[in-house]
Amino acid sequence: MAAAVLAGAIGAGLAARESGSQPAATPPPRASASEAATYPPSELVRSCESAGQALRKRLDDDFAILVRPPFVIAGNTTAGELEQMARWSVLRPAGAMWTSYFDKRPDKVITVLLFKGDKAYRWWAGTLFGDKDLPHFGYYRNVDRTLVMNIDTGTGTLVHELTHALIVYDYPDVPTWFNEGLASLHEQCTVGEREITGLPNWRLPALQAAIAKGALRSLRELVSARDFYGPGQGLNYAQARYFCLYVQRAGKLPELYRHMRSAGRAAGADVKAIEAALGKPIQTVEKEMIELVKGLKFGR
Ligand SMILES: [Zn+2]
C-alpha cells in the first residue's frame, strides 16, 4: 500500500494549475483573520505544555517531544527527525486544511505519537492505553484525541487521521462519506503552504474495475444512503475519495466544503450542496467524475 506524503516544493505550482484561471464568482468566506491571528489561545498553550511534560514522564529516553499547539508530538527518534516529520506530516497539512477548509481550530490538545518500528508501536500502544489488535498503519483515539502511528508504514494514514481529528472542531456533524472522502484524499498528496492536494493512490484500481463492470452505485446513492461502513465499505472509500479528487481538480473543494457545512442534514441536502458548489446537476458531476477516474493512473 502506498501511503507517502510527497511533501514540498511543488505545492504552490499544483494549486495554480488546479484552481484554473476562473476565480469563484463569490469567494468563499475565509477563516476569520482575527481567530487565526490570536491562535493558539494562551490557555491551550498552557494545556499543551503540561501535556508535553506529562508525556515526558510516561515515555522513556528514546523519545523526543515537540510542543506545537494544538499539537503535542512525540516520537522514538532524534529531535531533528521528529521536527521534520512533524513539519511535513502534521503542521503543514494542518495549516493547509485550516487555510482551505476549517474555520474553527481545536481548543484542546491533540497528541500525536509517532513510533518507528512495529514492535515499539504495539508495545507502547499497549503500555500507554491498553490497546491491542492494532491496525497495521495506526489509528486515532477519539477519547483522548490521540493519533497513534506506526510511522515505518508511511505517513498517509497519519494525514488521513489528522483530517478527522481537525474537521470535528469545524464541522462536527460532517456526513461519513464526506469525512472519509476528504481524509482519504489526503492519504497521498502534496502539501504546500496553503493547500493540500490529493493524488491518485492505491484505492484507484478497485474503483476503475467497478466502473468497468458497471458495478458502481450512483453518486446520489453514495451521498444519500448513510451506509458508508456497510458491506460496500471498500468501494465507498474509493468512490468518495475520487469524487473529492474530481472536485479538487475542478478547483471547487473549498466551495463544496462550505456548502456541505451549511447544508444541514435533511434528506437531499448533500445532493443540493454538491450541485450548488459545482454549478451543475449531480448526473453531470457524476459523468465527469467517471471520465476523470477512467483516465487516471496509479502505479509504482
Ligand atoms: Zn477515516
Side-chain angles (χ1 to χ4, degrees), residues 114-162:
L114 305 177
F115 297 105
K116 287 185 87 169
D118 193 64
K119 208 172 148 195
Y121 162 64
R122 288 176 195 282
W123 192 84
W124 281 103
T127 304
L128 295 172
F129 309 115
D131 290 342
K132 294 191 175 66
D133 300 325
L134 308 180
H136 180 57
F137 298 96
Y139 61 104
Y140 177 57
R141 291 172 48 85
N142 220 349
V143 58
D144 44 19
R145 298 175 307 282
T146 300
L147 294 117
V148 187
M149 292 291 144
N150 177 359
I151 209 69
D152 281 356
T153 63
T155 50
T157 301
L158 171 55
V159 189
H160 177 127
E161 299 299 337
L162 179 68

Side-chain angles (χ1 to χ4, degrees), residues 64-68 73-93 114:
I65 295 177
L66 206 58
V67 175
R68 294 284 186 279
I73 305 165
N76 53 342
T77 170
T78 65
E81 240 183 304
L82 184 66
E83 183 100 40
Q84 283 300 314
M85 277 199 281
R87 176 177 305 150
W88 292 111
S89 303
V90 179
L91 304 174
R92 287 256 185 144
L114 305 177

Side-chain angles (χ1 to χ4, degrees), residues 218-232:
S218 71
L219 182 59
R220 179 187 292 276
E221 208 181 324
L222 173 78
V223 308
S224 308
R226 305 290 185 239
D227 63 351
F228 192 89
Y229 299 128

Side-chain angles (χ1 to χ4, degrees), residues 160-161 164 179-181 183-184 187 203 229 237:
H160 177 127
E161 299 299 337
H164 293 321
N179 195 5
E180 293 295 3
S184 42
E187 288 162 351
R203 296 188 194 272
Y229 299 128
Y237 272 98

